[in-house]
Amino acid sequence: MAVFSVRRMGLKRELPLELLYNVIDICAQNSSLNDLKALSLVSRSFNRQARKHIWGHIELPTKGAVRLDRDGRDFSFLVDALSTLPDISSHTKSLHLASHPPTVLYPFLRKLKFGRLQRISIHGYDPRVPFAPSPASLAKLARTNCDIRTLKLSNFRMNPIAFLDLVSQSKLHELRHCTLDVINTTFDDSWDDYLKHPSSEVLDDFIEQRTQTQNVARPSLTSLSLNRITNLPNAAFCSALFRHTHSLFNISSLQRLTLTISSYPPVPLRHFIEVIELCCLSVTSLTIHNWQDVIRSDSTLIATFVNAIDVTFNVYDGASLDIVKYSMELLLEHLAALKSLKRVKFAVESFKEVNFLSQQIADVLAILCREVPGIEEFEVSIRSSDAEYYKCEQRFVWDRERCAMVCMTH
């Protein structure tokens, strides 16, 4: 990327500062971090705006610190350097914490101060690991950033009550977007005891404590993504998360819902039935991953999303086209009940090349489009990733006039 002097171009006097800032903002969306660093050297005004993007998102611990620690070398100078930067507290809006290695993460969390975070992501947290940050310290980090609107927790291993308390103590009043991705909260790290622990009495005590807490947060989410929360089928645990009037989250006005099902470990669609019952009337955008693992009796739950406008179903298959065809047919049986439907996407990732869609599928699509005349777009994308056809991608769009699927890309 070429960098020109503002003075030599005469831009300093002829262009308003807002336009120059817009140029930097556009570059931040489409250019690399090195380009932004180069822009920051053009002038002081460029530097101020570029630094907002350079430090807008940071990941801790830094890769440099992890490398130094792996080599047995001191990395404290990196911690000290970051802790003295005013950009961290004033410009950082997004923070990702990787919990491993905890001995490297801890010094950063102890010294760095954040005050304007809007998005926080925590990966791989287990408080039982030596030197891992305490749940109280993570809750304090979230609590001191009152504008957090997006939260992602992934690969957690915690006692279920400790997990609920961590979220509760974070006081996420402004939270709107939440992702819970692989949250293992079972009593002994087993998938077999999620219905027994924690007991309803223990969860009732947790709710009672929340009712006595001042300034308790129960944010109204607009988007929610769930994948393998082990205790979710436990009715009392699910109630503490979503259903109770003093639960952690209010999903009664949820707009976008993403669910991931699985055959192993077993996470059938019915595991989310209480969540679906709470938000099915408000959801307008629905995404389900691993649709090939759904069973016929669970597939009827799709028909409850009567106000859905956009639906996306992903299929991951390494076997044959038969599974793809069956998954589509099973889905199309229930989509006709969604009278507000406008856009449907069926995405397939296969380890074998998929060259065609059967006429049977095309016939079902024709029936669907007649029964739901409001459908504006029906897309089927197929990505093959075997050795011979690596990343071969095909995209089919339904043509109403021809009543056929038209291949758009290869």
Side-chain angles (χ1 to χ4, degrees):
M1 172 181 168
V3 177
F4 301 96
S5 167
V6 175
R7 290 182 180 274
R8 292 160 92 189
M9 295 172 64
L11 295 178
K12 188 171 184 180
R13 275 174 272 177
E14 295 179 9
L15 287 179
L17 198 58
E18 291 81 2
L19 290 182
L20 296 180
Y21 284 176
N22 287 341
V23 171
I24 298 174
D25 293 342
I26 293 172
C27 289
Q29 298 175 6
N30 302 284
S31 303
S32 67
L33 182 60
N34 288 333
D35 290 339
L36 280 174
K37 291 179 180 178
L39 275 175
S40 70
L41 301 176
V42 173
S43 69
R44 290 182 179 178
S45 58
F46 270 45
N47 182 275
R48 284 193 298 270
Q49 189 68 8
R51 289 174 77 89
K52 292 182 179 179
H53 297 287
I54 292 173
W55 297 104
H57 171 78
I58 66 173
E59 299 183 5
L60 297 178
T62 63
K63 294 179 180 178
V66 173
R67 284 196 297 268
L68 289 171
D69 179 71
R70 188 184 301 126
D71 296 338
R73 299 162 61 189
D74 178 54
F75 61 88
S76 60
F77 69 94
L78 292 176
V79 180
D80 295 336
L82 281 179
S83 64
T84 58
L85 279 176
D87 303 270
I88 298 295
S89 60
S90 59
H91 295 329
T92 302
K93 300 293 193 298
S94 175
L95 173 65
H96 174 76
L97 300 179
S99 300
H100 183 78
T103 52
V104 183
L105 175 63
Y106 175 75
F108 286 99
L109 288 182
R110 185 170 57 87
K111 281 203 168 186
L112 270 63
K113 306 299 180 185
F114 302 92
R116 298 188 177 183
L117 293 178
Q118 297 178 2
R119 182 185 188 278
I120 186 167
S121 170
I122 305 175
H123 176 80
Y125 180 62
D126 186 343
R128 301 169 302 179
V129 174
F131 303 104
S134 67
S137 64
L138 294 181
K140 182 180 179 180
L141 171 64
R143 193 166 58 246
T144 54
N145 290 269
C146 57
D147 293 329
I148 292 179
R149 299 179 63 85
T150 303
L151 173 70
K152 181 177 181 179
L153 306 179
S154 59
N155 289 84
F156 268 47
R157 282 177 171 263
M158 292 185 72
N159 173 281
I161 299 300
F163 174 78
L164 294 174
D165 192 57
L166 167 61
V167 179
S168 179
Q169 294 300 321
S170 298
K171 298 188 184 300
L172 303 167
H173 291 276
E174 301 301 319
L175 190 68
R176 296 296 177 265
H177 315 286
C178 180
T179 297
L180 302 179
D181 183 19
V182 189
I183 309 296
N184 191 344
T185 52
T186 48
F187 191 75
D188 60 356
D189 288 345
S190 168
W191 283 83
D192 300 326
D193 65 346
Y194 56 81
L195 293 178
K196 297 180 293 184
H197 302 286
S199 66
S200 59
E201 291 79 10
V202 172
L203 287 163
D204 287 342
D205 290 341
F206 168 78
I207 292 294
E208 180 63 25
Q209 292 178 7
R210 270 180 61 83
T211 60
Q212 299 173 3
T213 302
Q214 293 183 347
N215 198 29
V216 64
R218 190 177 184 243
S220 295
L221 300 181
T222 59
S223 70
L224 175 65
S225 177
L226 300 175
N227 175 28
R228 285 177 55 190
I229 298 89
T230 51
N231 280 98
L232 196 61
N234 182 322
F237 184 83
C238 187
S239 179
L241 273 177
F242 303 115
R243 182 180 290 276
H244 197 277
T245 54
H246 290 91
S247 64
L248 298 182
F249 307 110
N250 177 11
I251 59 173
S252 61
S253 57
L254 195 72
Q255 298 175 15
R256 294 183 297 278
L257 177 64
T258 300
L259 303 175
T260 301
I261 61 178
S262 171
S263 58
Y264 186 83
V267 185
L269 189 59
R270 65 177 176 274
H271 272 206
F272 304 102
I273 189 167
E274 292 208 30
V275 174
I276 293 173
E277 290 175 351
L278 289 170
C279 65
C280 62
L281 296 181
S282 63
V283 168
T284 57
S285 177
L286 173 67
T287 299
I288 297 183
H289 295 288
N290 295 329
W291 179 253
Q292 78 281 352
D293 289 333
V294 74
I295 60 176
R296 181 171 292 275
S297 60
D298 288 355
S299 65
T300 57
L301 291 171
I302 298 301
T304 62
F305 294 94
V306 292
N307 294 311
I309 297 174
D310 297 271
V311 295
T312 300
F313 297 86
N314 294 319
V315 171
Y316 303 93
D317 172 48
S320 66
L321 184 60
D322 293 337
I323 294 179
V324 177
K325 288 167 54 180
Y326 173 77
S327 300
M328 287 189 68
E329 291 167 355
L330 190 60
L331 170 63
L332 295 175
E333 288 180 12
H334 306 291
L335 287 184
L338 311 185
K339 301 303 181 183
S340 300
L341 202 56
K342 293 185 180 298
R343 287 170 290 276
V344 180
K345 182 175 181 180
F346 196 83
V348 180
E349 288 196 18
S350 175
F351 293 110
K352 295 186 178 181
E353 186 187 21
V354 182
N355 287 317
F356 62 92
L357 293 173
S358 70
Q359 183 59 44
Q360 182 180 3
I361 295 295
D363 293 341
V364 175
L365 292 179
I367 296 172
L368 175 66
C369 289
R370 285 197 299 269
E371 295 185 1
V372 189
I375 291 183
E376 298 172 356
E377 180 180 343
F378 197 115
E379 177 183 335
V380 179
S381 65
I382 303 175
R383 176 178 296 177
S384 303
S385 56
D386 69 344
E388 185 177 356
Y389 300 99
Y390 183 68
K391 290 186 177 179
C392 174
E393 190 166 352
Q394 295 176 309
R395 177 171 170 264
F396 299 86
V397 176
W398 178 254
D399 188 322
R400 281 184 173 274
E401 295 182 359
R402 296 165 56 182
C403 288
M405 295 298 288
V406 179
C407 185
M408 305 297 291
T409 57
H410 290 276

